[in-house]
Amino acid sequence: LLLKITFTSWRNTLFDLAADGAAALKRVAATGYDLILMDLQMPVLDGFETARAIRSGQAGFVNQKIPIIAISADLSEAARTKCLSLGIDEFLLKPLDSGTLHGSIQCLLGIQLPPGRIG
């Protein structure tokens, strides 16, 4: 809900939501995305399994390299290490800071957005 509010306030930003990891995997396969922001704690398939499926090509080989940002309340180094081992590009902790998210998106997409365009 907080991310929906955040993204709705960002100008020129389109987003999509999935209720669980399995639904997210189907949407990635059917829709072209620039980036995936994924909670690690999701029903059906958790964020780890969903990322593993995306990176292995189960959402289409064209989607294997989509940047993935994982978000979690898990402060452990084990969670961060597991994310990196699965090919997740960035690991952000909850509560999510809009400025940190903005910077991560810019970095992963290789773009420099003017202040106010996003966030």
Side-chain angles (χ1 to χ4, degrees), residues 39-108:
D39 198 323
L40 294 178
Q41 302 301 317
M42 295 186 295
V44 185
L45 284 179
D46 66 19
F48 297 115
E49 291 301 317
T50 305
R52 180 179 285 122
I54 292 167
R55 293 297 187 239
S56 71
Q58 292 180 40
F61 291 106
V62 69
N63 297 314
Q64 283 181 294
K65 302 287 185 189
I66 293 174
I68 299 174
I69 299 174
I71 57 171
S72 179
D74 186 345
L75 297 170
S76 73
E77 188 59 33
R80 181 182 302 275
T81 301
K82 186 173 182 180
C83 284
L84 296 175
S85 74
L86 292 171
I88 293 174
D89 300 283
E90 184 73 66
F91 180 87
L92 300 177
L93 293 171
K94 294 179 185 179
L96 202 54
D97 175 74
S98 180
T100 300
L101 177 60
H102 179 256
S104 292
I105 290 171
Q106 286 186 90
C107 181
L108 289 171

Side-chain angles (χ1 to χ4, degrees), residues 15-28 33 37 39 42-43:
F15 64 94
D16 193 6
L17 303 172
D20 58 61
L25 193 58
K26 288 179 184 175
R27 287 189 184 181
V28 170
Y33 293 106
L37 182 65
D39 198 323
M42 295 186 295

